[in-house]
C-alpha cells in the first residue's frame, strides 16, 4: 500500500480516494507489485498513513540524510510545502476547505 501511495505522489499526486477510485485502475501498479485491486481499497489506503506515523521522526532523519548525500546539501531546516493541497467531496462546513488560495501558507517544518 505504501509503495502505491509513494508512486502516486511522485507521478500523479492525488488523494487516497482518487487513488482508489481512478488512479490505480489506470496504472500498471497491479502488475509491477504483483498484486490486485485489493491493495488500493480506500480504507486500507487511509490506514496505511496511520501506520507510518509512529516512524515519522526516523523517516525524516533518513530522508534528510538521503537528500544531503544525493545533493551534497548542508542545511538545518527542511520545508515541505503543502500549498497545493486540495479537498474532495462536500466540504462546505470545513473552514479550511474554502475555495481559493490562502495568504498564509501551511508548511510542515522539520527541524534537524
Amino acid at each position: 500500500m505504501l509503495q502505491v501511495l509513494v508512486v502516486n505522489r511522485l507521478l500523479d499526486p492525488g488523494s487516497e480516494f482518487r487513488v482508489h477510485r481512478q488512479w490505480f485502475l489506470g496504472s500498471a501498479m497491479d502488475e509491477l507489485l504483483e498484486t490486485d485491486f485489493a491493495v488500493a481499497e480506500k480504507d486500507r489506503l487511509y490506514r496505511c498513513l496511520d501506520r507510518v506515523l509512529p516512524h515519522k521522526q526516523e523517516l525524516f532523519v533518513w530522508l534528510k540524510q538521503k537528500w544531503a548525500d544525493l545533493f551534497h546539501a548542508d542545511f538545518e531546516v527542511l520545508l515541505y510545502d503543502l500549498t497545493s493541497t486540495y479537498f474532495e467531496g462536500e466540504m462546505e462546513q470545513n473552514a479550511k476547505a474554502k475555495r481559493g488560495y490562502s495568504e498564509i501558507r501551511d508548511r510542515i517544518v522539520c527541524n534537524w
Side-chain angles (χ1 to χ4, degrees):
M1 291 174 292
L2 185 57
Q3 290 173 322
V4 168
L5 290 172
V6 168
V7 171
N8 171 259
R9 294 302 190 277
L10 290 171
L11 298 178
D12 187 21
S15 69
E16 286 79 10
F17 187 66
R18 183 172 168 270
V19 170
H20 162 75
R21 183 187 73 224
Q22 180 183 18
W23 184 81
F24 188 85
L25 294 172
S27 75
M29 291 303 294
D30 56 340
E31 295 292 326
L32 293 171
L33 299 176
E34 298 178 352
T35 188
D36 60 19
F37 182 70
V39 76
E41 195 272 321
K42 65 180 171 54
D43 292 330
R44 289 182 72 182
L45 294 172
Y46 292 134
R47 286 192 307 262
C48 180
L49 296 178
D50 292 337
R51 293 177 67 190
V52 173
L53 190 58
H55 308 284
K56 178 180 171 181
Q57 188 57 40
E58 62 190 282
L59 179 60
F60 281 163
V61 169
W62 184 83
L63 289 170
K64 177 193 177 273
Q65 189 59 53
K66 278 294 188 187
W67 189 272
D69 293 346
L70 287 171
F71 302 106
H72 307 290
D74 183 25
F75 49 85
E76 292 183 23
V77 177
L78 180 63
L79 300 175
Y80 177 70
D81 188 352
L82 296 175
T83 56
S84 295
T85 300
Y86 66 93
F87 298 92
E88 290 186 12
E90 296 183 24
M91 301 294 293
E92 292 88 8
Q93 309 306 327
N94 187 334
K96 291 184 178 185
K98 67 180 182 179
R99 186 166 173 80
Y101 287 95
S102 170
E103 291 183 25
I104 300 172
R105 305 295 187 184
D106 294 329
R107 300 193 190 291
I108 296 174
V109 178
C110 307
N111 291 312
W112 306 104

